Amino acid sequence: YKEDKSGLMNTEAVIPSTDSTGCQITNFNINSESVGHVSFGMLKNAAYLQKETENYYESAYSRKKFYGTTELINTLEKAACIVKKATGVRVAYRDLSAKEGGKIGSHVSHQSGRDVDIHLIRNINDKLDTEWDRLASLDKIKYFDAKANWILVKALVSNGNINLILLDEALINKLIQYGKQNEPDQSIVNEIATKLKKYPGHDNHYHVRINCPIGDSMCKEGSFRGDKQQFLAEMKAYMES
């Protein structure tokens, strides 16, 4: 990767391609690696999410927290394409990780390129909306569009190696109820139900995490336990190798 004057990654190291469904997916000419744990980790050779495309936009781009593993970025590209084709609305992504991982803001996780926050899709006067500020004061349950959000969650789980999706308990119940009543493939309903985890403070967005990508030898699942200084030294050495 090369940086422009703003310090952001340019696109010289990426090659766009179109898959069999007509969705454009980026073939990154890098070997990204998630290093360490999501709550104590780093990110090597990061891929990045574009500011916006016809299928999605990055709602907090100025914070420069739009980096992740290639696996995460490609999952987000594919999911957004599916949602746009089915609903006409662009998916809104928020924080991923910093360029080299590590602690960002008030987030506990988001440290190793495997996490992303995604706006919920609301239905306001029969119009789908993903604007963060506009939705903040609305009745979260009433305006939660079960159909559009089901399409989004199904696209993520069907096209990515999803570890978990954190969401408000009432919204989980509404989503699963929709799936049970409307989804022809009930096996995907069961799979999605195992991924959704109730978590307070997640009534305006999803927190999505992928599993450790295959081949990322320093990627660790679960919470960190051990000598932080020693593991930090190991991660730094690996980042420099």
Side-chain angles (χ1 to χ4, degrees), residues 57 89 119-146 148-149 174:
Y57 64 96
V89 71
H119 297 208
L120 303 183
I121 304 174
R122 307 290 187 185
N123 191 319
I124 305 172
N125 298 323
D126 294 324
K127 183 179 180 181
L128 297 179
D129 195 325
T130 57
E131 291 294 331
W132 187 273
D133 294 334
R134 285 193 60 196
L135 305 176
S137 62
L138 297 179
D139 183 319
K140 304 295 191 294
I141 306 299
K142 178 180 178 181
Y143 292 99
F144 181 81
D145 191 284
N149 281 282
K174 187 172 182 178

Side-chain angles (χ1 to χ4, degrees), residues 3 87 144 146 150 159 168 208 230:
E3 294 183 352
T87 69
F144 181 81
W150 179 258
N159 294 280
D168 177 82
V208 178
Q230 178 180 341

Side-chain angles (χ1 to χ4, degrees), residues 13 37 47 49 60 68 83 124 126-127 155 204 212 218 226 230:
H37 301 257
L49 193 69
V83 171
I124 305 172
D126 294 324
K127 183 179 180 181
N204 64 349
C212 282
M218 276 289 287
Q230 178 180 341

